[in-house]
Each structure stands twice: as structure tokens, then as C-alpha cells.
């Protein structure tokens, strides 16, 4: 039930409460009022119609690189 | 399509077969060594139905099977909803002036005498929604009716339900109510840790609950010095989280490890936390299998009583009775596997579920039915 999916913000509504996101090619309206600030192009985690977090893409890359680096250690 | 491609790239990194295989080569011997030292397999509990599904669906459960028993815990909100709450929800559906709005998972969950699906077939107005705000729209379009949203969920889901109440307030929708059966996850782990008959070596904590409550939301586990790792849902997330749990076992002083930092922050989503405090108050509530757990649920607070279905819409709730033969109460505590239930895959199937753990797609019985049948060697 806590299933949530990452989707890309493609448009922010004029009310500031809603945004249009791209999820696997579908364009869906989601609420954004649980987030402090969100920008077009960012990825957000969507759960039951609300964005609940901004995905930290830098950390996403960094974390996998850390594991890859760990593999390269002797 | 650019979005699709980029999302895939980000997700794919945590599904990379070669990296996964290399990690296995280095990590599985560490699990084996720990197993040898203990003289038994490691036993970690996952506290999230999405983790239960992911372990099976990705095959990681099988990769780990020689070293680790993965014990499914209270990670499915539908499954831990008490029978008396189900009866209350069904009683709302029986009111002739009421529309019940609910997530689809709840439709076939059995009450003592009926379920929402049967009530709908008998003429009750029960509508499935994907988002709580849709329920407010239903209320607006049906001013002559009372609309009750069935509030079932953990910390991940409650902020969205809180927003629906705010929306109703803002738009002056007076016929919208919520029945709050919401649960808080950390208080359910304490009795499992303190149960002397429950040999658990640590907890894989729910990633999306943690998005809301943050790493620091698990202070309770840290104070109990329990090995615990917050993890994501891709194969590399699952494997590395189990490895990190094993390393935590060796430490004298443990802290909750955040292995899902791309989504989970130290303080969580503070805006969502503030919203919950504004609308709800913590209460001691009843869980299926556990009984009443101190400070484990959320009720509407005094300022929002006018949106509380329980106080505003009286119903005749029948006397609650248990489901004969169903082992869900033990399964949600990880004290029993679905294979230990005499009804599993015989009388109880996803088409005709007898207990809630078979209803929700993330219930332990449903997951084991889909992915683990024929592997009855799984024991706790």
C-alpha cells in the first residue's frame, strides 16, 4: 500500500498545489503541497496522487558509485 | 519519452545484473560466515509489504535463502486493520444516505459478516478511488449524501488523507468525513523485539514510511540498540540492505542505517509531519494480531472533529467475531508463515480470500501465493 513511483515534473499548475508529471509516458496530475519547493525537470516520488519527496538524483548516482567503488577495493 | 529513458537509467542502475552478481560474490560469504558463527541462518524481518513482494518478484529471496530467513512483519496496513474497524467500515456502507470511498485493497477484506464488495453488490454506494482528493470531489458532486473515506494506511499514506481534509475545509465541502484507522509503524516493532519467543536479528525498515518520518523517526529502534536498515526496493537495494544488517549485528552500539538516501532524509518530510500534527493526535489503537498498542494510531483531533466519521455518523456496528481458521493475526507478527495456515491456497485464495493477508496484493499470503508456492521449505 506504500507503493510509490518516481515521476518527472513537466509542468507546475498556477495554483502551486498541483503539477503534471510524466510517469512511463503517461501524463498525470499530482498534488505538490507536501513539498517545499519543486521545479520542472525534477523527479518526485508519487504516492496516492501526492508527491511526497523530491528524488535526490545526485545521491542516487553517488550511492551506486560507492558500492561500485567498494567492489573495486581489494 | 525523454522522461521515460532517464527514469529507466536511474532505476536500472540498482537493477544492474553485473553489479548485483559482483556484490553477491563479496557479500554472500560474509552472510555465510555469520551463519556459521551463529550455528543457524540469520533472521531479518521486513516491515513493508512492498519489500515482501520485491524479495519474491526479483528473486533476491531465493539468492539469500541459504543464509537468511526473511520474516514478513506488520508491513501491510490492510492486513493489520482490526476486524472491529472492518465492521465499522462496512456499517458505514449500510447507511442509506452514505457513499463510502476507499482504496481498492479494502473491497474484499472480510468483516465479521460481510465485506464491502458484497455490500456494493447489495446496493450500497461504495466507490474505489486512487487518491483521497477524489473522495472530496465525490462529496462535492453529491451534496445530498454523506461521503466517508476509509482512512487506512501508515505514515506514507496519512499525509495525503490529511490533505483531503484540508481540501474539504478550504472548499467548504461539509459532507466529507474520514474514518481514521491509521497506524504508526515504529510502535508495532517494540513488542516484536521484546518477545522472548521471537528470534529476530534485525529489521529492514520500510523505505516510503521513512520518506515521511525520516531516519530519526526510528529513534525507538536506536534506543533499543536493534540492528535496523532503511532500504529501497530494487535488487541491489535489497541485497546491500541485508549485508548492512549483518554488519550491524557485529557492532556493540547500533544506529539506524539509511541505505535509501536518494529518497529518505534525516528529518523526513517535515511539512507532512506538521500537517499530521495539525489534524490528528496519537492514540492507542487495536491492531489485528497485536491487540491494543500504545501510541500506535492516529485519531482526528478536537479541531477537526467535524470531519470525523466516527463521531458524526452513527452506525449499528455488529458484535465482532474472528475468522475461523485464519492465521493472519500470527502472520502479521511474523510468528507464522502462510504455509502454516490450514486455509492457505486451499480455502483461501486471492479470488476467494478468507483473511486480509490474502486480499491485499502486498499481504504476505497473497505474495506467497503468487511467488512462493511449492517452496514450502520456508519456515520461521
Amino acid at each position: 500500500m506504500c507503493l510509490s513511483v518516481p515521476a518527472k515534473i513537466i509542468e507546475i499548475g498556477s495554483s502551486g498545489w498541483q503539477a503534471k508529471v510524466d510517469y512511463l509516458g503517461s501524463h498525470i496530475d499530482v498534488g505538490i503541497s507536501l513539498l517545499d519547493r519543486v521545479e520542472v525537470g525534477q523527479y518526485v516520488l508519487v504516492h496516492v496522487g501526492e508527491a511526497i519527496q523530491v528524488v535526490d538524483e545526485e545521491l542516487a548516482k553517488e550511492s551506486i558509485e560507492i558500492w561500485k567503488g567498494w567492489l573495486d577495493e581489494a | 519519452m525523454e522522461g521515460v529513458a532517464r527514469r529507466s537509467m536511474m532505476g536500472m542502475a540498482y537493477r544492474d545484473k553485473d553489479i548485483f552478481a559482483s556484490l553477491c560474490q563479496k557479500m554472500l560469504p560474509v552472510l555465510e560466515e555469520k551463519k556459521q558463527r551463529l550455528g543457524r541462518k540469520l533472521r531479518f524481518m521486513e516491515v513493508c509489504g512492498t519489500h515482501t513482494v520485491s524479495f519474491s518478484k526479483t528473486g533476491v529471496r531465493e539468492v539469500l535463502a541459504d543464509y537468511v530467513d526473511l520474516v514478513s512483519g506488520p508491513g501491510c496496513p490492510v492486513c493489520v486493520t482490526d476486524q472491529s474497524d472492518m465492521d465499522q467500515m462496512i456499517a458505514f456502507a449500510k447507511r442509506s444516505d452514505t457513499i463510502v470511498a476507499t482504496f481498492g485493497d479494502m473491497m474484499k477484506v472480510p468483516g465479521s459478516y460481510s465485506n464491502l464488495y458484497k455490500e456494493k453488490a447489495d446496493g450500497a454506494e461504495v466507490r474505489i478511488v486512487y487518491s483521497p482528493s477524489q473522495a472530496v470531489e465525490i462529496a462535492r458532486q453529491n451534496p445530498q449524501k454523506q461521503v466517508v473515506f476509509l482512512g487506512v494506511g501508515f505514515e506514507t499514506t496519512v499525509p495525503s488523507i490529511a490533505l483531503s481534509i484540508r481540501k474539504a475545509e478550504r472548499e467548504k465541502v461539509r459532507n466529507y468525513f474520514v474514518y481514521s484507522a491509521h497506524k504508526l509503524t515504529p510502535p508495532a516493532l517494540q513488542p516484536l523485539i521484546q518477545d522472548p519467543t521471537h528470534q529476530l536479528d534485525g529489521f529492514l525498515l520500510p523505505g516510503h514510511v521513512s520518506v515521511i518520518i525520516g531516519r530519526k523517526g526510528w529513534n525507538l529502534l536506536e534506543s533499543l540498540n536493534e540492528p535496523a536498515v532503511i532500504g529501497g526496493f530494487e535488487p541491489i537495494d535489497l541485497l546491500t540492505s541485508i549485508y548492512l544488517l549483518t554488519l550491524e549485528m557485529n557492532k556493540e552500539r547500533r544506529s539506524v542505517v539509511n541505505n535509501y538516501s536518494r529518497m529518505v532524509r534525516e528529518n523526513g518530510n517535515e511539512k507532512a509531519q506538521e500537517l499530521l500534527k495539525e489534524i490528528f493526535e496519537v492514540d492507542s489503537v487495536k491492531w489485528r494480531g497485536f491487540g491494543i498498542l500504545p501510541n500506535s494510531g492516529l485519531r482526528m483531533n478536537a479541531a477537526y472533529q467535524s470531519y470525523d466519521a466516527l463521531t458524526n455518523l452513527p452506525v449499528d456496528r455488529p458484535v465482532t467475531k474472528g475468522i475461523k481458521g485464519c492465521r493472519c493475526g500470527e502472520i502479521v507478527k511474523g510468528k507464522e508463515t502462510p504455509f502454516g495456515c490450514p486455509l492457505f491456497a486451499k480455502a483461501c485464495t486471492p479470488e476467494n480470500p478468507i483473511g486480509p493477508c490474502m486480499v491485499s496484493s502486498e499481504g504476505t499470503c497473497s505474495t506467497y501465493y503468487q511467488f512462493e508456492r511449492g517452496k514450502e521449505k520456508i519456515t520461521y
Side-chain angles (χ1 to χ4, degrees):
Chain A
M1 197 171 197
C2 294
L3 188 67
S4 313
V5 295
K8 187 183 181 184
I9 301 271
I10 50 174
E11 191 185 315
I12 294 173
S14 54
S15 67
W17 293 326
Q18 275 215 322
K20 203 174 278 303
V21 297
D22 178 317
Y23 175 64
L24 299 177
S26 296
H27 292 181
I28 307 160
D29 289 324
V30 301
I32 50 169
S33 43
L34 292 173
L35 304 177
D36 276 329
R37 194 160 163 255
V38 71
E39 288 166 18
V40 170
Q42 280 183 321
Y43 282 80
V44 290
L45 190 64
V46 178
H47 174 71
V48 297
E50 295 292 334
I52 58 169
Q53 189 59 281
V54 177
V55 180
D56 191 324
E57 286 191 74
E58 283 309 308
L59 271 176
K61 280 179 211 146
E62 205 177 287
S63 304
I64 196 78
E65 287 307 319
I66 289 171
W67 285 117
K68 279 159 85 176
W70 178 79
L71 279 171
D72 293 337
E73 289 167 19
Chain B
M1 290 305 285
E2 185 211 355
V4 181
R6 286 197 57 214
R7 194 198 80 86
S8 305
M9 274 171 66
M10 196 170 68
M12 285 311 279
Y14 290 85
R15 296 178 195 173
D16 187 293
K17 275 185 192 169
D18 295 334
I19 301 175
F20 183 83
S22 305
L23 287 169
C24 279
Q25 264 188 355
K26 281 189 89 167
M27 290 179 174
L28 297 184
V30 176
L31 303 190
E32 172 65 22
E33 193 195 325
K34 188 69 190 168
K35 174 185 152 187
Q36 294 295 338
R37 232 183 307 152
L38 289 175
R40 60 165 174 80
K41 283 204 253 180
L42 311 179
R43 285 169 58 82
F44 296 129
M45 177 176 271
E46 83 270 3
V47 196
C48 174
T50 317
H51 274 145
T52 309
V53 173
S54 297
F55 273 120
S56 288
K57 210 172 178 176
T58 59
V60 176
R61 186 188 301 279
E62 208 159 337
V63 170
L64 297 171
D66 286 341
Y67 319 96
V68 182
D69 281 329
L70 292 162
V71 181
S72 289
C76 156
V78 172
C79 309
V80 299
T81 299
D82 190 64
Q83 196 75 1
S84 58
D85 283 315
M86 286 315 305
D87 289 337
Q88 178 77 34
M89 296 175 195
I90 293 164
F92 284 128
K94 284 181 182 290
R95 283 175 56 110
S96 58
D97 68 340
T98 299
I99 299 173
V100 163
T102 178
F103 294 131
D105 302 40
M106 297 298 290
M107 290 300 286
K108 284 190 176 178
V109 179
S112 299
Y113 307 93
S114 179
N115 64 32
L116 292 167
Y117 188 73
K118 282 183 195 156
E119 292 301 322
K120 188 176 168 75
D122 286 345
E125 285 207 63
V126 182
R127 303 206 193 161
I128 295 174
V129 293
Y130 298 99
S131 133
S133 65
Q134 285 178 295
V136 182
E137 288 306 317
I138 293 172
R140 194 214 311 276
Q141 289 158 11
N142 296 274
Q144 75 290 3
K145 293 274 192 177
Q146 317 298 338
V147 173
V148 178
F149 180 75
L150 305 181
V152 172
F154 293 139
E155 294 90 335
T156 324
T157 311
V158 196
S160 304
I161 297 170
L163 279 179
S164 75
I165 295 170
R166 284 275 286 273
K167 178 179 162 81
E169 185 182 35
R170 193 174 61 236
E171 297 175 7
K172 298 188 171 40
V173 179
R174 308 274 185 226
N175 58 329
Y176 178 66
F177 303 91
V178 170
Y179 178 64
S180 179
H182 306 118
K183 305 279 188 295
L184 302 174
T185 325
L189 303 191
Q190 189 162 3
L192 299 175
I193 294 166
Q194 290 167 344
D195 180 346
T197 67
H198 217 333
Q199 172 83 64
L200 293 170
D201 295 318
F203 291 88
L204 174 57
L205 300 176
H208 296 149
V209 164
S210 305
V211 163
I212 302 298
I213 69 173
R215 196 195 71 87
K216 79 170 189 193
W218 298 101
N219 280 346
L220 172 73
L221 292 194
E222 219 154 83
S223 66
L224 294 169
N225 202 29
E226 192 66 21
V229 172
I230 298 165
F233 302 90
E234 301 293 349
I236 289 174
D237 291 319
L238 299 171
L239 175 67
T240 53
S241 294
I242 293 298
Y243 171 75
L244 290 170
L245 267 173
T246 310
L247 295 188
E248 282 302 297
M249 284 176 73
N250 297 334
K251 292 181 185 168
E252 242 173 69
R253 195 64 230 152
R254 283 102 180 212
S255 54
V256 172
V257 178
N258 181 3
N259 190 36
Y260 196 32
S261 58
R262 62 189 187 274
M263 301 292 186
V264 176
R265 318 279 184 262
E266 177 67 16
N267 294 332
N269 184 330
E270 292 175 289
K271 213 169 169 184
Q273 292 167 23
E274 276 164 33
L275 181 64
L276 296 191
K277 273 187 206 149
E278 190 191 313
I279 294 179
F280 297 100
E281 61 190 18
V282 175
D283 196 4
S284 301
V285 301
K286 203 169 177 193
W287 293 50
R288 187 183 298 271
F290 288 82
I292 291 175
L293 290 177
N295 303 321
S296 65
L298 293 172
R299 298 276 187 228
M300 231 87 87
N301 67 23
Y304 284 86
Q305 283 299 302
S306 58
Y307 296 92
D308 188 357
L310 191 62
T311 51
N312 290 284
L313 303 175
V315 292
D316 287 326
R317 196 174 87 189
V319 175
T320 294
K321 59 173 191 172
I323 308 168
K324 210 176 163 189
C326 173
R327 304 280 289 151
C328 262
E330 293 302 296
I331 289 168
V332 294
K333 291 188 290 187
K335 303 281 280 189
E336 184 64 272
T337 71
F339 302 124
C341 177
L343 306 178
F344 177 72
K346 295 184 182 86
C348 186
T349 62
E351 290 72 31
N352 288 300
I354 290 176
C357 300
M358 187 61 94
V359 180
S360 170
S361 60
E362 298 197 336
T364 307
C365 293
S366 167
T367 304
Y368 277 49
Y369 185 90
Q370 286 186 67
F371 299 105
E372 304 299 335
R373 270 179 303 156
K375 302 178 193 167
E376 275 80 350
K377 62 183 179 182
I378 296 176
T379 52
Y380 291 160

